[in-house]
Structures are given as C-alpha cells and as structure tokens.
Amino acid sequence: MIGISYHAGGMNDQPLEKVVKILGEVGYDGIEMMCGPEAHIPSGEVTDSLLREVKAMVAEHGLKVAVINPFTVPNLMAMADEDMDGAIRFYTLLQDVAVELGAAGVNFLSGWSKKGDPHAWKVLVEVLKPLCQRAGELGLTMNIHNHESNIIDSPNKVPLLIHHVGSVHLKLLNDITNFYHLGADIAATTEQLGPLTVHCHVKGVQGMYPYSRFLIPGEEGDQLDFRCFAEALGKVGYDRYVSVETSPHMRMEKARIAFGMMDTTLRELGLR
C-alpha cells in the first residue's frame, strides 16, 4: 500500500507542533522532516533530547518520519565543491537524524556548476561514494531528488549517476512533477525508474517549464495527472510514501486539499 506524507518545508513558517497536529487530523501517514539551519530540526542544534522530543511528537499524532530532507542549504554539489569534508559532515548528521527518527533515507539535490557539467558530475560522484557507503552501513539510502536546472533533471541521468557512484544504496526520489514539466512522460518515466524509486514528491503544476507555475496538488487548474502516476506506481509495486510538496505562501488548506485528492485516487485504484 502507498502512504501519503507531507514535505514539512511547506509549513516551515509554522511550529512543528502545529504541523504534525494538522497532518494527523487530516489523515496523513507520514512527514518528510526538514533539517537545516532554518528548519524544524535546526542542524546546528541537534541533540539527543531534541530528537526524542520530535519522535514522540510525531508518534503522538499517528505519523511516521518518511525521510529526512536538507533545508535552507546549498545543493550537494555546491556544498561539496566548496568544502568536501563539510558536505560529508552535514549529510552524516542528516543520516544520524534519519536513524534516530526511524526514517528510511536522506534526500539531496544534485546541483550544478558554472565550471561545467563534467566538473559537477565528478564532484557529486566523489562526495556520494563515502555517503552511500555509510548509508548502507546504517540501513539507509541516499535519495536523488531530480530537479530542473540540476545535474539530474531527466530520467536517463538517474541510472548513469548510480552507475558512476557504484552503490546500491543510491536511489531515486521521484519528483514526478519535475520530470513532467520538463516534458517526460509520467507513466513511462515512473515504470522505467520504478526499481530505483524509494520515495516520491508530487506538486500541482500549471504549464510547462520554463513557464510552469506550481500549485497545490489537486486544486483547480492543476494539470498533473496524478491518477496516471498512481497507476504506474501500482504497476511497479511501489509501496512507500508519496510526499505532498507545497510552499509556505500557499493557503493553509493546502495539506487538506492535496490529501483529499491523493487519498481518493489511491483508494479508487486499490493502492491504499
């Protein structure tokens, strides 16, 4: 069965206590927790007591932590290009947070470089090798978040990066909206990358890149075919979380609107 989680960055302007209360009341299964300098879990203030508090708070509202997401930090390539050891330390922290909160993995944006794609790819591969090795030792995955204007923006680049890193612990966060508004076919992409996918993001969208505009999933005007995406996930046997990704500036009903559309669709397809 497919769980529905919420990318907590969409309510980073709200206290975590309020966020988990809303998600629990709406019916979400999980939360994608943010960790960074200005996140719900401040990366400079992580302590055992803070993580115990967060874990208890999440459980109290019937949720689980799906994955850990970096927040308000540079992309992984840029971070590593400036300070390789610092990038490894930061993502090591996120891995430790994931273990303590019972999350399955850690997400990252691949990034880009003014020095050119070959340079960016080589830096990314170099930093991912030790991080993926440590992830495997901890029972986690490092999850590639595909994104426009990043190294990993199209479906075929995902297995290429995994090939170069050479780790079974490097997987995909399938942000289907980011693939779709760059012109990728929803069903074909989802089926192609199904064996590599361990987490998903969904945003509502109107128009195609670079003229696209993100919306609340399921609100009026949303052109993403979520049913097609869900059918393809069902076809490949996906049984993890799909995270709703919104923005703080969107109206507060965002969590309820997105959940209603996704929950209804998944139940109609027998996937929830």
Side-chain angles (χ1 to χ4, degrees):
M1 306 305 283
I2 296 176
I4 303 176
S5 54
Y6 186 86
H7 182 289
M11 291 192 218
N12 201 60
D13 56 332
Q14 303 295 323
L16 183 58
E17 296 90 336
K18 182 176 180 180
V19 176
V20 295
K21 183 175 186 294
I22 291 171
L23 300 182
E25 289 175 349
V26 170
Y28 280 84
D29 306 294
I31 181 170
E32 183 173 333
M33 195 67 73
M34 305 295 108
C35 184
E38 300 174 18
H40 285 125
I41 300 179
S43 52
E45 304 173 24
V46 175
T47 61
D48 290 343
S49 61
L50 173 62
L51 296 180
R52 285 195 297 269
E53 179 182 344
V54 170
K55 189 173 184 178
M57 185 191 309
V58 169
E60 179 184 353
H61 293 279
L63 304 171
K64 293 183 178 180
V65 178
V67 290
I68 304 299
N69 200 85
F71 196 71
T72 60
V73 296
N75 60 68
L76 179 55
M77 195 293 306
M79 190 182 291
D81 203 22
E82 180 176 344
D83 180 0
M84 180 67 68
D85 291 340
I88 292 173
R89 284 195 301 271
F90 178 77
Y91 276 89
T92 292
L93 171 66
L94 265 57
Q95 290 176 343
D96 290 342
V97 170
V99 170
E100 292 302 316
L101 296 184
V106 173
N107 303 335
F108 67 91
L109 287 169
S110 57
W112 61 280
S113 174
K114 292 181 179 179
K115 300 174 185 177
D117 259 18
H119 173 82
W121 274 80
K122 289 172 184 176
V123 171
L124 189 61
V125 169
E126 182 181 354
V127 72
L128 280 170
K129 284 187 175 182
L131 289 173
C132 288
Q133 180 178 342
R134 188 173 190 270
E137 294 167 357
L138 296 173
L140 302 172
T141 56
M142 292 294 295
N143 307 330
I144 308 162
H145 182 185
N146 60 286
H147 206 286
E148 65 274 4
S149 302
N150 275 232
I151 296 167
I152 305 303
D153 56 0
S154 61
N156 289 339
K157 292 180 181 178
V158 175
L160 180 60
L161 179 60
I162 293 173
H163 167 75
H164 284 309
V165 174
S167 174
V168 298
H169 308 293
L170 181 58
K171 299 293 186 181
L172 173 67
L173 183 181
N174 181 350
D175 189 320
I176 194 58
T177 312
N178 288 347
F179 280 136
Y180 163 75
H181 80 151
L182 286 173
D185 180 87
I186 292 174
T189 296
T190 304
E191 292 174 29
Q192 173 193 347
L193 299 176
L196 302 175
T197 302
V198 294
H199 190 61
C200 297
H201 277 182
V202 167
K203 300 184 287 286
V205 68
Q206 190 172 66
M208 300 296 284
Y209 186 81
Y211 304 105
S212 47
R213 180 171 68 94
F214 293 132
L215 306 174
I216 300 167
E219 76 170 314
E220 184 178 355
D222 179 13
Q223 296 171 345
L224 182 79
D225 190 344
F226 179 74
R227 179 175 290 271
C228 177
F229 181 47
E231 288 174 341
L233 289 175
K235 187 172 181 179
V236 299
Y238 182 81
D239 60 359
R240 299 196 184 197
Y241 291 96
V242 177
S243 270
V244 172
E245 190 177 7
T246 57
S247 299
H249 71 267
M250 295 174 177
R251 62 189 189 276
M252 281 301 293
E253 299 97 322
K254 55 199 166 192
R256 189 174 298 277
I257 292 169
F259 180 86
M261 180 274 291
M262 292 168 62
D263 180 61
T264 298
T265 302
L266 290 171
R267 289 186 185 279
E268 288 174 353
L269 294 173
L271 298 174
R272 182 165 167 76

